[in-house]
C-alpha cells in the first residue's frame, strides 16, 4: 500500500464504549475565529460576512457553529460609571447584543474574547479584576463562548495555583451568570493547565501561538517541551504543537479538551499535504477545530480539507478521547521524525495515523502489536477492515474501505 | 555461573543492625488492591472473594494482610446533612462497616481510598476540605489503611509546601481519630514527597501509575527523572519506575517507604522473567507489595512468584532500608542498560541484584569492591556464602546456597 | 560579495508601518554610564568630565543624551531623621541636585542608580522598603532615569510575582512623583522579566553582567538559556548575551525594551571586528545603547564605531521592534556558530545580519526566502537595494548602496 | 616541569588589595567536627579528647580553633516547662556549659548543631519554631558557632523566600542574643543559598553531604548542577562538589563563604594524591576547613596534608575570595576532565591549580593568557616567580620557589 501524503491515516473497525458529562463541549468545539486572518481589522461586517459564508458553505451542518470575535472589539475604555465593557462604536455601530442576535438568528453561536490581564494582547482593556461585570455583560449580550487570553497578567503566573486562581475567577463568574458559556482558556500551556484546567474550563491552549508553517523551528517558540516551559511564545509550527500535545492527551476527555490553537488551513503557508496532516492531527488529537482562514474566500482545496466528514466524525466521536503517540523515531539526526498514533472511537472503531516530518519519503511497517498496544493481545491478533479517510467511497463520502489487514501492513509516507 | 532470568539476584551472608519507630509500616505494607485488575467494577462480593482467596492461598501468612478497596466505592454524593462520605448502596448493600467487620473477622485488615482533591480520579466525591469528617467516618467504619490520591487538586500543587499542606491535612485528621490508620500518599512523586512525606505518611508514590509492561517508554509517562517532574502521567513501565526509585531510596526507612505502585504480576503483560524482575526489584527497594491481579484466579506461575518467601523476607527485613544502585551501564546506545544493586539486611546479610533491560544477554563481572562500596575495604575482602533467591533449597524453600565467593564473580543475565 | 568583519550587515529597502505609545523610551534609551569603566571610583568631576566629552564629541546629537551615575554615589547612611537618601559629601560636595542642574544646563539628562534590595551591589544602602522616599528624592534632585539593580534582595526572587511586586513598588513610586523618570530594571533576567516588566518598566536586563569579551564561555555566567536561569552571574560575553536575547525579542517594543547591558566598546577586551559585531547586534536587537567606556579618552576607532549613524538609525527606528534570529547553525561541534538575523524598519526597510562566532571564516548563501520568512512569498520574490551599513557612501555617511539583490546572495563572514 | 600528584598547584607572586567587613568569619572558619568520624557516637569525652589532640598537635595555631559538636548531643526532649533545649545527661553529665567552659579554657571555641526542622537529621528535637529559646540557650552555654541543618523542614523549601525566612529566623535569633555566634547554614544548596545567604549567614553548604571518595558518581547525589537541584542527597564525591562550586564562587567573600562540607582527609577512602587535591581545592575555593577525621589518631601523612601552612595561608588570605575555574576540558568522553583554576591573593600574589579527575596522566600547557584572564593583558605579559605549594623550601616550610615563568609553562598531572 502506498499513500501520497505527509501523513497516512486509517480507521479500523471491529466492535463498544461510552461516557458523558454535563455541560458544554461534550465533544471539541468547532467554529471560526477572526484572529488568524483578520487580526485587529474586524467589524460587524467582517463577522457577519463570515457567518454568512459559514451558512452558504453549510459548514455549520458539519459542526462549525461558533462564530468567534477575537481581540480588538473594544472601545478605548470601559463605561466609566459601571465599569462594564464597551464595544468599539465605530466597528460595531449596532452593538454586540445586536450582532449576537443576528448570529443566533442564523442558527449559529457567538463568542467573544478577553484576557486574564490588565490589558488584552492588543492592548485593549482586560478582565483581571473585572471578571464579574464582564461575565455578566457577556451573558446579557448573548455570548455563548469566551476565549480568555493570558497577556498582561502582571506577574500572576509561574506556579499552578496562581494561574488556576486567575482563570478560576472567570470560570466562577461565567457560571454565576446562569447562561451556558463555553470557557476556552488560553494561557499558552503555562503552569500545566492540563493538570488544573479540566475542572474549570472546557478547553485550554497547550502551547504558544501557531503560525502558518508545518514543521520549522522558530526561536520565538523556544521550548522543546511544554511540561515546564517558561516562555510559550509564538510562531509555533503545527508539527511542534503536535509534539507538545503527545504527553498531555491523557488529560483531555468529555467536556475538557487540549486546544492545539486555531487552524491555519487556507492561509497559504503550507502545502496541501501539510494542511491535510495539520487537519488530521488536530482532529484525532481532539483539538477544538476553529477555522482561522477567510471563509468568505476559500479555494476548493481548502474547502475540501476542512469538510472531511470522516475526520470530523473522529474529532466529534462521543465519549472518547485523544489519540496517543505509540512511537516516534528520528529518521536522520536533526532531520525530522516519523511517528505512529492511535486512537479509540466508539463501537470498536480505531484510528491510526503515521506522520512524517522529515524531508525524506519513509516506508514503515505498522504492526498491529503496536497499533493495539493499549488494547492487548486479543485485539492485536484480530483482522481489521481498513478505511483510508482521505479517499472517498463510491458515494463520494470521505473514508474508503481498502481491504482487510491482520498482523501488520506497510505504508510509505511522502515528504 | 549462569542464570536464566532478566535479573540475577543473590543474598550474601556475613554478621548486625537494628532500628525502630513507633506506629505502622515498620516494614513495607503488603496486601491486595482492587484497582489494577477490577478498576471501577467493584462490589462487596469482589472484595470478599479476594479476601477469601487470600486466606485460601494463605497469602496472609506471608504478610499480604491488607485488603484495599480503591476508587468507585462511593455513592453519588455525600450525606447532605452531615457531609459524611457514603458508599454506593447497590455495590455495598451492607455498608462499609459490615464489609470491614467481615474482613477483620478473617484476620485481615481493611483499606479505603480517597483523593486530596474535589473529586477522585474516577470522578467520585473527593476529600479536599472534608478531611476531618472523612477520617472520622473511616475510623468508625474500622478502616486500617487509606490510599490518598492526587486527582482534581484544583491547582494546589507545584511547590513542596502546598503539596505538603494538602496531604498533611489528612495526616492530622487521621491521627486525630485515635485509630491507627496506615497513610499511603499517592501524589505521584510531585513536588518531591520523599523530602516532606516521611514525617506525615507511611508511604508515598514516587511516579505516575505503573502499567503492565517491563521497560517500554510511553509518552504518557513523559519525565525522564522524577526529581522535578511536572507531569507524572501513567503507563510507566516497571523498569522506568525502578530508574525513578534509584536516587530516592535514601529517603525511605522504618515506617516511611517509597511506593513504586501496585504489582502487575499475573495481569499478563510481561514474561515470567520480567515478572520475576518486577517482584524482585520492588522487594529489595522496599516498596509496599500490593498485589494488583485477580487473586481468585491465579496461575501456578503467578502464585510461585508472589510467594517467594526469601524475597518477602528481604522486603520485610526489620530496621533496614532500600537497596542502592551501585552502577548502571548503557549496553548499546538507547538499547537499555545493565545495573548493579546492593542492599543491607540485618545480621550481616546483604542482597545483590543485577538487572538487564536490554534485548541482549549480558555477561558481567560483579566486583566485591563494587558490591560493598558502602561497607568499605574490610567487607570487600571477605568471602561470602552465596544464596540464589530464585532457586529452592533441598527443603523446597526459596534461597539455595550456591557456594562461596570472594573478590568477584561472573554472571550472565539473559534478555 | 565578501566582507571583512565578524559580522555582515545589510539594510534592505522596499516600501510603511507605525506605532506609538505614551511616556518614555519610545525608542531605546542612549547614553553613558559610569560603571563599566570607573566602577566605584566616581565623583562630580568624573561625571561632569564625561558630560563635557559627550558634548565635545557631539554624541548627544546622535542620541546619547543620558548621563548615568551608577553605584557608589551614596553617603554611608540615609538621613537619620527623614530616611531620605544622601549622597557622599566628599565625592559630591555640591550635592546631586547641583550636578543634575549642571547636566541639564548642558542639554543632557541625568540618571541615578539603586537596588531593589537592602543594600546595593557595592554594599551601599538599597531602596527595598524605601521606594517612596527614594523616588520622591530623586524627583527633587531632577533625576530623569533610574537603573534599579537586584542585589541583596533578601530572598525576594524565584517566582515571577515576587519579582514583579518588588520592582512594581518602585515603578509606582516613580509614577507617583509626577516627574517622568525612565525606569530601567536590572534584575538580570531572573523570573522572566520579559513576561511582566513591559507593563511596569521601560527596559529590563535579560542576563547577568556583560564583560569585555566577545564569545568566551565563563563559569561565572553559568546558564545556557535565560528562560529559567537560577544564577544569572556575570562575565557574560557579548555573543552569549546575543544568544540569550534571541527568544525574547518578541516581548520588546515601543516604550519597553530588552536591555542587553552596557556597551564595552573602547574598553580593550575585543578586536575591532568584535566591537563592530557587538555594536551592530545591540543596535538591531534594540537594546538601550549605553556607553561604558571612558568617553574623555577615546580612540578614533572607538569613536567611529559608536557614531555609526546608520546603525543608530536602525536602533532608534520608531514604532518597530527587535530583529529576530532566522536560523543558527553550528559550524563544527562546540566551535561556535553562524546565524542569520532579520529586522523590520519603517517604510519597507529591513535589516539583515549574519554573525559568525566560530574561529573559521564562513561563506554562506542568504536566501531571500529565509530573510523574509515573516513577510511571506510576495516579499521573498522582490528585488532589494542593498546597503552595507559598515561602509560609507560618497558623502561620508555610513551605509553604502552595493547593488540590487534578488533570490539569494552569498557572503563570507570572517573569524 | 612535572609533578606527581592529581593536582598541580602554584602560587605566583607579583604586587595589593584589601577589604574588610564587620563580624565573624572574615576569613573561612577552621576547626573540627564530630560527625564525619563519630556520627551519633559522641560524648563529653569524645569532644574533649579531640580538643586535647588539637592542642597537642598545635592545630589551633594553624587556625583550627572551632571544636564543633554535631548531631546527637540532645536529651530525648526539650525541658517540658521552658521548652529550652536539653543535652543528653548521660553523654554530657556535666552539661554543655561546662564542656564549653573547658573548651574555652583551652583557648578554643565551641560550636553546636541543630536543624531548621521539627527534628534533626538523626531524629532529635529540631529548632523550627524554637529559634529564640534555642539561640538564647546556646548563648548562655557559651556557644560560638551554630551549624544549622535542613532535615525535617516540613515542606518549607522549594522557593528562595521560604528557605530564606526559615534560616533568617535563626539568624535574627542569634543576633538578638548579643553574643557573636558564627552562623553556618546547612541547607545543602537548596533554593540557591548563594543568592540570599550572604546577608544572613557566615557560610552556607552548597551541595549534599560529602563522602570519602574523590570522583565517583553515586546515584544518591543525583543532580549534575546545584543551580536548581531538587534532591541534594549525600554520597557526593569531592570532585563533584568542586564542580558544583565552580559557578558560585562569585557569591562568596569576606564574612560569607561557600561551604563545600567537612574534610574527609584521614578517613581512608582516598589516596594520598586525592586527599592533597581535596585539601587544595577546599583551600583555594575558600571553603571553611573543618576536619572530619579522628584527630586523636592521625597518621603522619594525614597530619602533613592538613598542616600545609602555605595552603592555609591561601585559604585565610584576608579580603580576597575564591579561585575561579578558567577552563575545564573533557579528556575522553565520560572519563573525567582536566581543569585550570586561578585565584587572587593580597599583594599581587596569585594561586593557580590544575586538576585532573581522569584515569589518564595529562600534560597541558598553562598559558599566562588564561591564568590572568581576569587581570588583563598587562598581567599576562609579566614574568612570575613560581612556588610549588606542595614542596617545602630549604627551611622546611611549605612553598618552594621553582623559578620564573613567563608566557606559558607545561605541567603533567598524574592520574
Amino acid at each position: 500500500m502506498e499513500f501520497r501524503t505527509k501523513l497516512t491515516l486509517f480507521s479500523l473497525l471491529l466492535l463498544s464504549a461510552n461516557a458523558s458529562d454535563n455541560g458544554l463541549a461534550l465533544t471539541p468545539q468547532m467554529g471560526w475565529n477572526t484572529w488568524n486572518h483578520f487580526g485587529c481589522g474586524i467589524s460587524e461586517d467582517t463577522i457577519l460576512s463570515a457567518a454568512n459564508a459559514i451558512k452558504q458553505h453549510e459548514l455549520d451542518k458539519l459542526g462549525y457553529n461558533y462564530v468567534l470575535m477575537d481581540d480588538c472589539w473594544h472601545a478605548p475604555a470601559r463605561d466609566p460609571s459601571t465599569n462594564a465593557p464597551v464595544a468599539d462604536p465605530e466597528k460595531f455601530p449596532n452593538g454586540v447584543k445586536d450582532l449576537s442576535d443576528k448570529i443566533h438568528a442564523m442558527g449559529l453561536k457567538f463568542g467573544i474574547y478577553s484576557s486574564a490581564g490588565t490589558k488584552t494582547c492588543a492592548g485593549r482593556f482586560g478582565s483581571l479584576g473585572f471578571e464579574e461585570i464582564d461575565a455578566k455583560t457577556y451573558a446579557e449580550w448573548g455570548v455563548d463562548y469566551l476565549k480568555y487570553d493570558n497577556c498582561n497578567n502582571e506577574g500572576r503566573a509561574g506556579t499552578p495555583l496562581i494561574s488556576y486562581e486567575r482563570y478560576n475567577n472567570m470560570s466562577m463568574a461565567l457560571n454565576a451568570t446562569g447562561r451556558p458559556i463555553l470557557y476556552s482558556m488560553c494561557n499558552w500551556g503555562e503552569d500545566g493547565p492540563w493538570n488544573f484546567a479540566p475542572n474549570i474550563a472546557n478547553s485550554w491552549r497547550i502551547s504558544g501561538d501557531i503560525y502558518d508553517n508545518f514543521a520549522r523551528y522558530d526561536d520565538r517558540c523556544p521550548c522543546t517541551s511544554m511540561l515546564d516551559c517558561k516562555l510559550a511564545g509564538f510562531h509555533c509550527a503545527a508539527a511542534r504543537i503536535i509534539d507538545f500535545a503527545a504527553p498531555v492527551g491523557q488529560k483531555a476527555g468529555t467536556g475538557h479538551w487540549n486546544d492545539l490553537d486555531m487552524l491555519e488551513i487556507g492561509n497559504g503557508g503550507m502545502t496541501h499535504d501539510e494542511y491535510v496532516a495539520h487537519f488530521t492531527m488536530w482532529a484525532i488529537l481532539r483539538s477544538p477545530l476553529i477555522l482561522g482562514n477567510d471563509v468568505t474566500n476559500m479555494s476548493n482545496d481548502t474547502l475540501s480539507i476542512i469538510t472531511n466528514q470522516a475526520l470530523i466524525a473522529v474529532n466529534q466521536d462521543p465519549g472518547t478521547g485523544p489519540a496517543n503517540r505509540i512511537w516516534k523515531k528520528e529518521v536522520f539526526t536533526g532531520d525530522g521524525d516519523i511517528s505512529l498514533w492511535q486512537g479509540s472511537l466508539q463501537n470498536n472503531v480505531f484510528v491510526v495515523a503515521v506522520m512524517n516530518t522529515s524531508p525524506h519519503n519513509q516506508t514503515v511497517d505498522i504492526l498491529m502489536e503496536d497499533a493495539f498496544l493499549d488494547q492487548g493481545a486479543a485485539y492485536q491478533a484480530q483482522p481489521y477492515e481498513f478505511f483510508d479517510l482521505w479517499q472517498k467511497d463510491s458515494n463520494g463520502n470521505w473514508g474508503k474501505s481498502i481491504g482487510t489487514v491482520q498482523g501488520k501492513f506497510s505504508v510509505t509516507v511522502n515528504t
Side-chain angles (χ1 to χ4, degrees), chain A residues 12-17 346-350 379 382 384:
Chain A
L12 301 93
L13 175 65
L14 191 78
L15 326 165
S16 184
Q346 283 191 308
N347 304 318
N348 268 311
V349 179
F350 302 91
Y379 277 77
Q382 294 295 316
Y384 291 88

Side-chain angles (χ1 to χ4, degrees), chain A residues 58-252:
Chain A
E58 300 192 330
L59 296 178
D60 56 326
K61 293 195 177 163
L62 296 169
Y64 297 103
N65 61 343
Y66 282 103
V67 177
L68 306 176
M69 179 172 74
D70 209 283
D71 206 349
C72 302
W73 56 264
H74 313 68
R78 295 174 172 279
D79 182 305
S81 60
T82 65
N83 277 328
V86 180
D88 184 321
E90 296 194 6
K91 291 175 168 180
F92 300 93
N94 302 303
V96 175
K97 177 75 172 71
D98 176 81
L99 174 59
S100 157
D101 287 346
K102 286 172 180 158
I103 301 278
H104 289 144
M106 296 165 80
L108 301 173
K109 292 181 175 169
F110 175 68
I112 206 165
Y113 163 98
S114 189
S115 179
T118 49
K119 293 183 286 187
T120 69
C121 296
R124 273 56 177 186
F125 55 80
S127 292
L128 192 66
F130 295 91
E131 291 84 357
E132 287 185 27
I133 182 70
D134 285 4
K136 186 167 163 288
T137 308
Y138 300 158
E140 290 167 4
W141 287 350
V143 163
D144 305 303
Y145 185 118
L146 173 65
K147 172 180 171 184
Y148 201 43
D149 217 331
N150 194 28
C151 284
N152 299 297
N153 63 37
E154 308 293 338
R156 297 199 198 172
T159 62
L161 188 57
I162 204 168
S163 285
Y164 168 85
E165 289 181 340
R166 189 159 47 90
Y167 278 91
N168 191 35
N169 286 343
M170 182 55 89
S171 181
M172 293 188 300
L174 292 173
N175 284 342
T177 67
R179 181 177 178 88
I181 299 178
L182 193 154
Y183 184 32
S184 162
M185 266 179 62
C186 176
N187 86 327
W188 321 324
E190 286 188 0
D191 297 323
W194 37 82
N195 285 326
F196 64 78
N199 287 356
I200 62 171
N202 297 104
S203 67
W204 52 89
R205 285 273 303 283
I206 62 159
S207 72
D209 283 9
I210 194 173
Y211 87 125
D212 191 11
N213 183 293
F214 186 60
R216 180 182 171 277
Y217 175 84
D218 189 292
D219 269 322
R220 288 165 283 188
C221 178
C223 295
T224 52
S225 153
M226 291 304 299
L227 297 188
D228 196 21
C229 175
K230 302 301 188 193
L231 181 59
F234 70 129
H235 273 230
C236 301
R240 298 199 67 214
I241 294 176
I242 293 166
D243 254 352
F244 296 152
V248 298
Q250 61 183 276
K251 298 294 187 175

Side-chain angles (χ1 to χ4, degrees), chain A residues 252-266:
Chain A
T254 304
H256 45 277
W257 306 101
N258 289 307
D259 181 353
L260 277 63
D261 205 357
M262 298 176 288
L263 297 162
E264 291 285 3
I265 299 148

